Amino acid sequence: MFKINKLVTGAVIAVLVSYSTKGLAGEWIPIYSPEPNLDKGESKYGYSSEGRDVFTIQNKDGSVLNVVDIGGYGYVGDMILGDTATLKQNGFQLNTSATPHIHNDNSQFNSIQGAIRHTSSSYIWPNGVIPYVIDRSLGDQARRDFQYAVEHWHANTNIRLVPRTNQRDYVVVQNGGGCSSWIGRSGGAQTLTLANNCGRGAAVHEIGHAVGLFHEQTRPDRDNYIRLIWRNISSNMAYNFQRIGNHQGKSHGEYDYQSIMHYRINAFGIGGRRTIEILDRNVNEYNVGNGQRLSQGDIAAVAHLYGPQEPVKQCEVVAIEHNQSVSLAGTQGQSQCFKLSLTDSVKSYRVFTEGNNGDADLFIHKGQIATQSNYDCKSDGENSNESCSSQATAGDYYITVFAYSDFNNLTLNTVVELKDDDDPIDDSCQAHALTPNTMVTLKNIAAQTSMCFKVNADDNHQLVEFNLADGQGNADLYVKKDTQASLQNYDCMSASATNDEYCSLTAHSSTYFIRIFANTTVTNTKLNVTLKGKNDDSETYMGEISTKDEVDIQPNGQWFEYQGGSLTGLLHGDNQADLELSLEVWNESRQQWQLVKSSTEPQSVEKIEYQAPYGYYRFKIYSWDSQSTGQYQFTLKK
Ligand SMILES: [Zn+2]
């Protein structure tokens, strides 16, 4: 991991200039972040120097850095190094006005850590707290990606992103043509841009820049680990591959191919060509720069800057009875913990909160205290109405109510269903008949109620897919073959914190019952049931990944010639496994396989859809981590 130097001196002027050009605290000037011009080799991670002001800044250690001016700010890749006027005058200097000087890099970890953490003014965020504001311009998908990234940082590091109240220094998350961020805390308001197509991995990555991390492949020692293929990089994009001098950055730990801060192997390639060759043959090159998570190396580097992740404070546990309501108030950041002991006579439980203010989140863990990163069920929507339900076995269920922001007058409710009881939730939900492959819009479902459907499938197909998307609110999807689905009794289900739900079942000549349950009021969400396979020109293959290094080629270990058109690969792994899917095309002139597209969601289902030109193609299936092994089903539709 590459980390910012703590040894910069004489930066007071830079800080003052930086403040005066960026506006004083509270004034935020949106950054002009143009749409990338793909024909020029630009991407959402960086712009071409063609037709733009390119200037060279001289750093104190004698190194130089070529920077491109975009709308008054100096960019390298997706990193905003400062405003152009300040950069031209002072070079690239971090906001380090009061950083104590540490003259001995070999000093004990504790003293480094102490110096960083107790510094009142530097590029480091005091106590790891990063206040943020979501700008109105930010798109819905980017909001969800940012939320994912915030939770991911919270679960793995000491960094805390909190909604801004009146802090002087903060991050404004805005829409833009690409994804970009300042490096570390720059002072006053600073921008982080996320376009809707940036994705979760980029959201984690950009927060990494704001935290104070450079790109992994800018390390001074990078040439021992990667080789840049300059002939595939246009001269106007080459500045994005500069190394950062020793004066601006400091490496932490071994070179880390798994870092979220590493470029992809085809970053800024002419026509998507490969630009980075991975010298370590044991590394799965398709994972490089493609992840959505911090690596262990990233986590260690952030711990070096901000201290190790605080152990979760033990929460005092209060025993509660089932079918009981508890009234609660909470202050931001506070956890309140409860224990619900269930006997063998209980079939299922549902725990939910009801409140009309603030933002409470709900976590449940059987057998141990639930935390934000350790739970069997979580419900963390943007208000105080949360719900978790599951089949039950005898034992202690720990419930944690976390205050994402202050709330009061909240009730925590626990409802259980005893064995051999009728499923009461089924009584009132009339199943409307649906036609497969036709989208229906569900205009309005009241909070905590269901809307039910049924659809007929047949043996001529292989798979029934249930898709919910768009609209407002938080709906969950439950499906059962032959009889009504309930929240406790289903064959497949999907219950994310949004309306994006997907599950699928093997197709039989049967009726499939669908229940859409609204956790919060749901409007204008779209339901689509699709029959796939056999009749559909799709072929299904079974396979198994038995070790983390295994890579399966599909279909059947073969490549295939394709005349062109829509190409879809769908991977269903074991529920616990995180398998990934990528599509490659044969590059005749270079005599090698080239990555076209990959799908690396943190789950067991991956899907790639591609408008393919004529060519030779193959799919690759591989494991995200050593836990992710097991059998899978791969469906290819041409
Ligand atoms: Zn970056």
Side-chain angles (χ1 to χ4, degrees):
M1 172 50 41
F2 204 51
K3 190 163 63 65
I4 290 170
N5 199 342
K6 302 174 288 296
L7 308 177
V8 181
T9 58
V12 177
I13 293 168
V15 172
L16 293 175
V17 173
S18 159
Y19 277 12
S20 65
T21 51
K22 287 185 62 207
L24 293 168
E27 295 174 38
W28 170 68
I29 304 154
I31 276 187
Y32 168 63
S33 167
E35 287 291 328
N37 183 336
L38 302 179
D39 293 338
K40 288 185 177 176
E42 293 183 345
S43 78
K44 59 194 180 185
Y45 291 115
Y47 299 100
S48 167
S49 61
E50 187 186 337
R52 293 196 167 104
D53 179 17
V54 185
F55 55 99
T56 300
I57 54 178
Q58 179 97 29
N59 298 306
K60 284 194 181 301
D61 62 351
S63 66
V64 293
L65 206 54
N66 293 319
V67 182
V68 167
D69 172 78
I70 295 164
Y73 294 92
Y75 279 72
V76 175
D78 61 338
M79 301 182 291
I80 305 167
L81 298 187
D83 66 86
T84 298
T86 308
L87 284 170
K88 284 182 174 175
Q89 191 177 340
N90 298 316
F92 174 47
Q93 296 177 347
L94 293 156
N95 170 22
T96 51
S97 55
T99 308
H101 301 168
I102 302 162
H103 296 289
N104 178 6
D105 254 347
N106 299 320
S107 34
Q108 287 300 305
F109 177 79
N110 279 343
S111 68
I112 295 175
Q113 179 195 344
I116 294 166
R117 295 192 70 202
H118 299 299
T119 294
S120 61
S121 175
S122 76
Y123 66 94
I124 292 290
W125 297 89
N127 301 316
V129 174
I130 306 181
Y132 70 88
V133 171
I134 301 277
D135 185 58
R136 206 176 304 164
S137 65
L138 194 68
D140 287 346
Q141 186 58 47
R143 265 167 222 255
R144 289 196 285 268
D145 294 339
F146 183 73
Q147 192 57 41
Y148 163 87
V150 166
E151 287 173 22
H152 183 75
W153 275 92
H154 287 185
N156 292 286
T157 71
N158 224 2
I159 297 293
R160 290 293 172 266
L161 292 116
V162 300
R164 178 193 184 227
T165 49
N166 59 358
Q167 293 92 340
R168 187 194 64 171
D169 302 334
Y170 60 102
V171 172
V172 182
V173 189
Q174 70 160 75
N175 186 26
C179 344
S180 65
S181 173
W182 291 71
I183 300 291
R185 179 170 65 106
S186 69
Q190 66 185 74
T191 301
L192 187 155
T193 68
L194 282 181
N196 265 341
N197 63 357
C198 284
R200 290 174 165 189
V204 176
H205 174 107
E206 298 309 333
I207 291 176
H209 284 317
V211 162
L213 304 176
F214 283 120
H215 291 139
E216 188 71 5
Q217 78 285 342
T218 60
R219 281 170 69 127
D221 60 351
R222 65 129 183 255
D223 293 334
N224 298 330
Y225 300 92
I226 61 169
R227 191 174 67 84
L228 292 175
I229 307 170
W230 291 106
R231 66 174 183 279
N232 291 341
I233 303 169
S234 86
S235 58
N236 291 321
M237 299 304 289
Y239 78 101
N240 291 305
F241 291 93
Q242 294 170 96
R243 278 176 298 221
I244 300 281
N246 274 323
H247 198 67
Q248 283 75 41
K250 184 170 179 301
S251 305
H252 179 79
E254 291 287 298
Y255 191 90
D256 182 8
Y257 291 107
Q258 312 303 328
S259 172
I260 192 77
M261 306 312 290
H262 204 297
Y263 275 179
R264 294 175 188 199
I265 58 171
N266 62 349
F268 303 119
I270 297 169
R273 283 185 202 143
R274 174 195 288 264
T275 53
I276 296 176
E277 184 187 340
I278 304 298
L279 297 180
D280 183 343
R281 292 289 156 204
N282 295 320
V283 170
N284 182 340
E285 58 190 14
Y286 297 104
N287 281 344
V288 175
N290 250 336
Q292 302 189 335
R293 294 166 240 216
L294 295 162
S295 68
Q296 289 309 310
D298 294 332
I299 291 167
V302 173
H304 193 69
L305 279 175
Y306 289 95
Q309 191 179 13
E310 302 274 356
V312 178
K313 289 189 191 74
Q314 277 299 338
C315 189
E316 193 183 334
V317 178
V318 177
I320 53 172
E321 301 291 321
H322 60 71
N323 296 337
Q324 181 188 350
S325 289
V326 183
S327 189
L328 298 176
T331 54
Q332 184 176 359
Q334 181 192 8
S335 288
Q336 296 176 70
C337 299
F338 304 90
K339 184 174 77 173
L340 178 65
S341 300
L342 298 181
T343 64
D344 200 30
S345 64
V346 174
K347 182 178 167 191
S348 65
Y349 69 83
R350 190 160 89 86
V351 175
F352 60 100
T353 59
E354 292 175 303
N356 59 7
N357 60 68
D359 184 357
D361 294 335
L362 177 66
F363 302 86
I364 296 184
H365 204 319
K366 190 180 179 196
Q368 50 180 290
I369 292 178
T371 68
Q372 284 163 280
S373 53
N374 198 14
Y375 49 79
D376 298 326
C377 170
K378 82 166 167 181
S379 175
D380 60 351
E382 287 176 5
N383 55 35
S384 289
N385 295 305
E386 307 294 349
S387 171
C388 271
S389 59
S390 174
Q391 316 250 9
T393 52
D396 293 335
Y397 286 80
Y398 289 88
I399 301 162
T400 297
V401 178
F402 174 75
Y404 190 80
S405 65
D406 293 358
F407 60 78
N408 56 42
N409 292 325
L410 180 104
T411 56
L412 170 67
N413 309 284
T414 55
V415 179
V416 304
E417 184 196 359
L418 299 177
K419 281 179 180 162
D420 302 318
D421 277 6
D422 287 340
D423 214 341
I425 200 158
D426 275 348
D427 297 346
S428 57
C429 199
Q430 190 202 338
H432 307 276
L434 277 186
T435 311
N437 305 320
T438 311
M439 187 172 285
V440 289
T441 300
L442 315 182
K443 288 243 178 294
N444 192 306
I445 313 175
Q448 300 291 313
T449 68
S450 296
M451 195 173 265
C452 295
F453 301 89
K454 58 185 177 184
V455 66
N456 292 320
D458 57 63
D459 284 332
N460 297 327
H461 290 86
Q462 220 134 19
L463 207 61
V464 208
E465 291 187 314
F466 306 89
N467 250 306
L468 199 63
D470 299 340
Q472 293 78 42
N474 173 11
D476 293 336
L477 170 70
Y478 300 84
V479 182
K480 188 161 176 59
K481 187 163 92 66
D482 299 329
T483 58
Q484 281 266 26
S486 73
L487 306 200
Q488 292 82 30
N489 202 355
Y490 47 79
D491 294 327
C492 81
M493 64 88 84
S494 171
S496 77
T498 69
N499 283 341
D500 292 324
E501 310 293 355
Y502 169 85
C503 76
S504 65
L505 293 170
T506 311
H508 295 287
S509 288
S510 313
T511 301
Y512 291 77
F513 288 87
I514 304 159
R515 175 184 293 272
I516 309 297
F517 177 74
N519 276 297
T520 62
T521 301
V522 168
T523 53
N524 295 318
T525 189
K526 297 190 177 74
L527 173 65
N528 192 11
V529 180
T530 318
L531 290 173
K532 285 252 167 96
K534 293 180 189 170
N535 275 353
D536 217 15
D537 292 336
S538 58
E539 309 143 23
T540 297
Y541 304 88
M542 305 303 290
E544 184 173 7
I545 296 288
S546 46
T547 69
K548 67 169 179 169
D549 298 321
E550 187 175 329
V551 178
D552 270 15
I553 306 291
Q554 290 289 3
N556 261 341
Q558 305 286 324
W559 49 264
F560 56 95
E561 183 178 9
Y562 192 47
Q563 297 304 321
S566 168
L567 194 57
T568 304
L570 180 65
L571 173 68
H572 278 258
D574 180 87
N575 270 340
Q576 303 301 318
D578 184 2
L579 299 180
E580 318 290 21
L581 180 66
S582 65
L583 172 65
E584 295 183 332
V585 66
W586 178 251
N587 185 322
E588 185 61 30
S589 60
R590 306 187 58 218
Q591 292 290 302
Q592 68 182 45
W593 290 99
Q594 185 174 317
L595 179 65
V596 173
K597 219 172 172 185
S598 59
S599 173
T600 56
E601 297 291 323
Q603 59 182 32
S604 59
V605 180
E606 303 289 350
K607 187 174 186 178
I608 289 179
E609 282 178 307
Y610 181 58
Q611 273 311 118
Y614 169 83
Y616 299 102
Y617 292 89
R618 66 181 190 182
F619 282 90
K620 274 187 170 177
I621 293 159
Y622 51 94
S623 166
W624 164 260
D625 55 29
S626 53
Q627 275 79 51
S628 291
T629 56
Q631 296 191 337
Y632 64 82
Q633 178 180 311
F634 173 72
T635 306
L636 173 63
K637 185 186 169 195
K638 296 179 192 168

